[in-house]
Amino acid sequence: DAGVIQSPRHEVTEMGQEVTLRCKPISGHDYLFWYRQTMMRGLELLIYFNNNVPIDDSGMPEDRFSAKMPNASFSTLKIQPSEPRDSAVYFCASSSGQADTQYFGPGTRLTVL
Amino acid sequence: GESVGLHLPTLSVQEGDNSIINCAYSNSASDYFIWYKQESGKGPQFIIDIRSNMDKRQGQRVTVLLNKTVKHLSLQIAATQPGDSAVYFCAENGSGNTGKLIFGQGTTLQVKP
């Protein structure tokens, strides 16, 4: 298996622009997680899905952030409009069960100027 | 509230020595713990896990110890190698069996040749 796939690997955009991050989980995994990592706050869970349904979005910073999972093999995290404080590395992870190991993708490094 | 913390932000060891990375957790209801390794520019990589019905688990060159009495978790790396240099995170599943993981802030392991 190729593991969790994320795109793009790097994104540089200007404040106010829309940003869309993409994730393909490991085939057969029912759980998908979106995290944000910064030096100041470490690794934070933003939202997670079970069988394509959002279960907990309490970590989503504000209404500018939204996430979707239209099918079992694809999820997006969108920021609109983006702000400089959104600059971070965004990770997607997937797992096969509720209490199972989460496997992380390589991340998307987002820079908002 | 729930929290996972690490005792030391940076650990420096000589190549060939054993390393011990510690982690304290606060939620006594947590029953699943994971250690992740994150190399620069990559996503967290699963190392080893342990469930609360065990107090020790061994992998290849790594051992995880769990002390539920004092809510302490440690990762031991035998014969530390330069390739072990990375940030190490502990994570716990918290309460409620939600599938969410709570990550510590991370410990940087530096291996001196």
Side-chain angles (χ1 to χ4, degrees):
Chain A
D1 198 314
V4 176
I5 299 172
Q6 291 186 248
S7 65
R9 292 296 311 277
H10 302 274
E11 177 80 32
V12 180
T13 191
E14 293 187 344
M15 183 174 62
Q17 297 298 306
E18 177 180 295
V19 175
T20 300
L21 310 181
R22 297 173 176 80
C23 175
K24 182 181 188 306
I26 293 173
S27 177
H29 281 191
D30 294 331
Y31 285 80
L32 184 141
F33 306 81
W34 281 102
Y35 289 88
R36 178 173 65 177
Q37 186 176 43
T38 61
M39 289 295 292
M40 293 299 295
R41 301 174 68 89
L43 200 57
E44 303 174 278
L45 177 66
L46 301 177
I47 185 172
Y48 78 97
F49 295 82
N50 177 25
N51 291 323
N52 313 337
V53 176
I55 302 301
D56 187 339
D57 65 354
S58 59
M60 296 286 262
E62 47 197 274
D63 292 344
R64 297 185 297 107
F65 285 69
S66 62
K68 295 182 180 179
M69 192 164 185
N71 58 63
S73 60
F74 183 66
S75 177
T76 59
L77 177 67
K78 185 176 295 186
I79 308 173
Q80 166 64 19
S82 58
E83 296 182 3
R85 61 191 169 123
D86 301 330
S87 297
V89 181
Y90 291 82
F91 288 104
C92 177
S94 70
S95 70
S96 58
Q98 192 171 43
D100 288 343
T101 303
Q102 294 179 22
Y103 294 90
F104 283 75
T108 295
R109 181 172 294 277
L110 173 65
T111 303
V112 183
L113 303 174
Chain B
E2 299 173 332
S3 67
V4 178
L6 294 167
H7 293 295
L8 296 173
T10 302
L11 176 65
S12 186
V13 300
Q14 204 71 38
E15 180 180 357
D17 288 351
N18 297 333
S19 303
I20 300 176
I21 301 172
N22 296 303
C23 177
Y25 64 95
S26 62
N27 193 328
S28 56
S30 292
D31 60 6
Y32 181 56
F33 305 87
I34 309 174
W35 280 101
Y36 285 90
K37 172 187 179 183
Q38 187 176 22
E39 297 174 278
S40 180
K42 298 183 179 180
Q45 178 187 7
F46 170 82
I47 302 174
I48 192 168
D49 60 0
I50 189 168
R51 298 196 183 271
S52 59
N53 60 350
M54 303 174 67
D55 53 21
K56 180 179 180 179
R57 190 160 188 228
Q58 288 185 293
Q60 188 176 15
R61 280 200 310 117
V62 295
T63 300
V64 56
L65 298 177
L66 175 63
N67 186 329
K68 295 181 286 293
T69 302
V70 295
K71 288 182 283 190
H72 184 266
L73 190 69
S74 69
L75 177 70
Q76 300 179 358
I77 304 173
T80 312
Q81 303 169 359
D84 295 327
S85 294
V87 178
Y88 290 81
F89 294 94
C90 64
E92 62 172 319
N93 66 340
S95 59
N97 200 25
T98 63
K100 295 168 62 172
L101 291 178
I102 304 164
F103 285 81
Q105 291 300 306
T107 292
T108 300
L109 176 64
Q110 298 175 339
V111 182
K112 296 178 289 186

